[in-house]
Amino acid sequence: MNRAGFPAGFLWGSASAAYQVEGAYQADGKGPSIWDTWVRLPGKTFQGANGDVAADHYHRYREDVGLMKELGLKAYRFSISWPRIFPQGKGKINQAGLEFYKNLIHQLTANGIEPVVTLYHWDLPQALQDEYGGWESRDIIADFANYAKTCFDAFGGQVKYWIVLNEPNIFTQLGYLLAMHPPGKSDLRTYLHTYHITALVHATVVKLFKEQGHPGHIGSSIAFTPAYPASDKEEDRRALTNYYATNCWWLMDIYCKGEYPARGKEYYTQAGAMPQVSAADRELLRRGAELADFLGVNYYQTATVAHNPIDGVGFGAMNTSGKKGTQTENGVPGLYKTVFNPNIEYTDWDWAIDPDGLRYGLLQLKERYGLPVLISENGLGAFDSLEQGRVHDQYRIDFLAKHIRACSQAIAQGVELWGYCTWSFTDLFSWLNGYQKRYGLVYVDFDSGTLQRVKKDSFYWYKEVIASNGDICLETEG
Ligand code: BG6
């Protein structure tokens, strides 16, 4: 493998999302989001945790940006909370909401940190869910475009990187197929229909951005889980093809090529679940794909895929407790199932730790789409402990170092990689796993309630990574 460095100007970043860090869920005129509602339903999140206060970033953003500056961060990815700007999803603008993000963006740029802004990281205004069922209705396209235009007009001068949607694949799967996120539905047709609408929103907003001539770059971030076959057997290799056709390529082709893959269409048509795609949709999606500047990739793990007979497993249990081994096999009967890979280590939440999967996935994306990539999330969720004012998270350092090295290998193999954002900057609310699953470079003392920030060992290490433009990861074998 070639040893390659990172290009000059590489965006060494770190990321967060509004609902997971801000708190202040009712402050200064913010309207309720579907997550404010969901966390109040019994049994929906780990031990009933919610983001009412979270890391209180809304009130502590100056301190947080101060830490980013100390770290030498080049880019900070965060999301705007739609219901802070439009408490009802549309109509009257809440100026205090705009003011908060204006201040945050100013604080970042004044400290030499590039803001990377996500417009939607899952906190849909509850009012739009109530009015027309949120993502189930095409009405959301105009309301989202109006919200996006408001943000472009307000922040366009200072923000050069925009991510329209964060992981539309995850919020539609969990919200409409697996009933684990709001609005808690479980129906294949509705899942595919809402996913189609997310693609229309993405394309509409990308087009709007370009037509209005805003400077900068725009794309969306998809969660990408590349996969291997469990064995060389013909049936496992077929399962792998099914996985890509109905999963990865299904989800990404419509954003990056403007059309669904043929094999996936066949399958979903037979299953009676193919979304309606009009000629106007096709034209819009194709245009959106042409105009998007980059693909955001959230990479955490790979999957290992095996044959799953027609009477095989469906969706199994998800490990949200951190008790290793509680995740069960899951799959789509007749298509594929995902199995544990004996050659790979797993986290306490049963996520496969596979740095080379990142290199492999980036190369697949290069072949298929040829788009520049921004890694908008990569990180390790773990139990951390605060001991005498320090957090010794060597395991996180090892994880990140190996993934950064995998990025450098992908670059050496021709991938155009613009940046890398660790997930996450501070510890935050993990949607289904509460506060015990920590990702941050900065520890937040949720247990005592002081929310005190403590720099973890990984913070000091990432500071050196940035200062050396990634070189220290190429030199050390971890
Ligand atoms: C991504 C999301 O799915 O993964 C983040 O964009 C999320 O919001 C992250 O926190 C890690 O997932 P989890 O479930 O461990 O918090």
Side-chain angles (χ1 to χ4, degrees):
M1 205 69 70
N2 284 348
R3 178 194 185 282
F6 288 85
F10 189 76
L11 292 173
W12 292 104
S14 198
S16 73
Y19 187 72
Q20 297 182 269
V21 290
E22 285 179 2
Y25 80 114
Q26 290 179 311
D28 303 333
K30 177 184 166 291
S33 79
I34 54 173
W35 271 91
D36 291 317
T37 308
W38 184 252
V39 295
R40 288 180 162 67
L41 303 176
K44 296 301 185 195
T45 59
F46 181 72
Q47 294 180 343
N50 65 51
D52 290 2
V53 178
D56 200 27
H57 175 69
Y58 186 80
H59 296 113
R60 300 176 193 229
Y61 73 92
R62 281 192 192 79
E63 180 187 355
D64 290 340
V65 176
L67 288 164
M68 292 174 204
K69 187 180 181 200
E70 182 183 337
L71 179 60
L73 212 60
K74 304 290 183 205
Y76 175 53
R77 174 185 176 226
F78 63 94
S79 76
I80 293 180
S81 162
W82 184 351
R84 260 194 216 291
I85 310 294
F86 287 102
Q88 296 303 309
K90 58 184 166 183
K92 198 165 174 296
I93 296 178
N94 176 34
Q95 290 301 333
L98 281 182
E99 195 60 23
F100 168 68
Y101 295 107
K102 204 173 107 204
N103 292 338
L104 172 60
I105 291 167
H106 172 75
Q107 199 74 19
L108 291 167
T109 52
N111 285 294
I113 302 164
E114 194 74 68
V116 177
V117 175
T118 308
L119 287 171
Y120 185 78
H121 203 126
W122 307 355
D123 47 353
L124 182 74
Q126 180 65 43
L128 301 184
Q129 186 68 39
D130 297 340
E131 185 186 330
Y132 49 69
W135 290 100
E136 284 183 63
S137 165
R138 286 179 180 241
D139 288 352
I140 199 171
I141 301 171
D143 288 337
F144 198 115
N146 174 54
Y147 158 60
K149 181 177 179 311
T150 306
C151 295
F152 296 152
D153 291 345
F155 313 123
Q158 297 85 54
V159 175
K160 295 197 216 103
Y161 295 89
W162 295 92
I163 292 173
V164 183
L165 299 173
N166 177 68
E167 297 187 354
N169 50 330
I170 300 296
F171 78 75
T172 54
Q173 262 167 23
L174 291 174
Y176 295 93
L177 184 63
L178 304 176
M180 297 180 83
H181 277 198
K185 296 197 175 181
S186 180
D187 177 61
L188 179 64
R189 233 171 146 262
T190 313
Y191 154 54
L192 295 175
H193 167 69
T194 53
Y195 191 72
H196 186 65
I197 290 180
T198 71
L200 296 174
V201 163
H202 162 84
T204 302
V205 173
V206 167
K207 205 164 148 256
L208 175 84
F209 182 80
K210 296 291 176 184
E211 280 169 0
Q212 294 197 328
H214 296 286
H217 312 286
I218 192 160
S220 278
S221 289
I222 315 267
F224 182 33
T225 306
Y228 314 107
S231 79
D232 242 10
K233 281 191 215 145
E234 161 77 30
E235 59 181 20
D236 288 341
R237 283 189 281 121
R238 203 172 324 116
L240 184 75
T241 310
N242 292 339
Y243 171 83
Y244 273 99
T246 58
N247 207 303
C248 305
W249 303 150
W250 179 267
L251 300 164
M252 284 198 255
D253 280 11
I254 197 70
Y255 275 66
C256 302
K257 292 179 161 186
E259 58 187 40
Y260 292 111
R263 198 183 170 112
K265 273 199 287 199
E266 272 167 36
Y267 171 75
Y268 286 132
T269 303
Q270 275 167 19
M274 181 65 202
Q276 286 196 335
V277 185
S278 69
D281 287 358
R282 265 193 287 276
E283 176 53 25
L284 172 65
L285 292 165
R286 200 188 45 75
R287 197 71 193 118
E290 271 169 18
L291 291 172
D293 299 297
F294 66 93
L295 173 63
V297 172
N298 293 355
Y299 175 82
Y300 288 90
Q301 56 175 331
T302 47
T304 299
V305 168
H307 171 64
N308 191 18
I310 196 73
D311 57 351
V313 296
F315 188 69
M318 192 186 267
N319 172 353
T320 57
S321 63
K323 290 198 184 85
K324 209 168 177 162
T326 54
Q327 176 97 20
T328 60
E329 284 185 352
N330 65 77
V332 182
L335 282 190
Y336 65 85
K337 65 177 174 182
T338 58
V339 296
F340 279 94
N341 185 331
N343 304 310
I344 286 180
E345 270 186 51
Y346 287 81
T347 72
D348 286 332
W349 278 263
D350 295 318
W351 291 27
I353 301 178
D354 186 7
D356 194 53
L358 175 55
R359 183 197 58 81
Y360 163 65
L362 288 172
L363 286 169
Q364 285 186 316
L365 296 178
K366 169 177 167 282
E367 287 302 313
R368 198 163 177 96
Y369 307 120
L371 273 168
V373 169
L374 173 68
I375 295 181
S376 36
E377 289 180 28
N378 175 238
L380 175 68
F383 293 106
D384 290 337
S385 52
L386 180 61
E387 283 157 25
Q388 293 154 354
R390 298 294 304 260
V391 179
H392 300 301
D393 57 343
Q394 185 60 41
Y395 38 89
R396 183 166 292 107
I397 295 173
D398 293 343
F399 180 99
L400 295 173
K402 287 178 185 165
H403 285 79
I404 291 172
R405 198 173 312 129
C407 290
S408 81
Q409 291 165 347
I411 291 171
Q413 294 180 312
V415 171
E416 186 179 345
L417 191 62
W418 286 1
Y420 171 88
C421 295
T422 68
W423 184 264
S424 49
F425 181 65
T426 61
D427 289 337
L428 41 69
F429 170 69
S430 169
W431 308 93
L432 299 178
N433 315 285
Y435 288 95
Q436 61 165 3
K437 188 180 189 186
R438 293 171 182 270
Y439 282 93
L441 302 168
V442 175
Y443 183 93
V444 176
D445 193 348
F446 298 116
D447 301 339
S448 72
T450 61
L451 304 181
Q452 194 200 342
R453 274 59 172 154
V454 177
K455 290 167 259 177
K456 301 183 191 176
D457 287 358
S458 57
F459 178 99
Y460 297 101
W461 169 83
Y462 196 48
K463 186 176 174 168
E464 285 176 48
V465 172
I466 299 172
S468 71
N469 199 31
D471 274 1
I472 65 159
C473 296
L474 310 182
E475 283 154 14
T476 52
E477 282 302 318

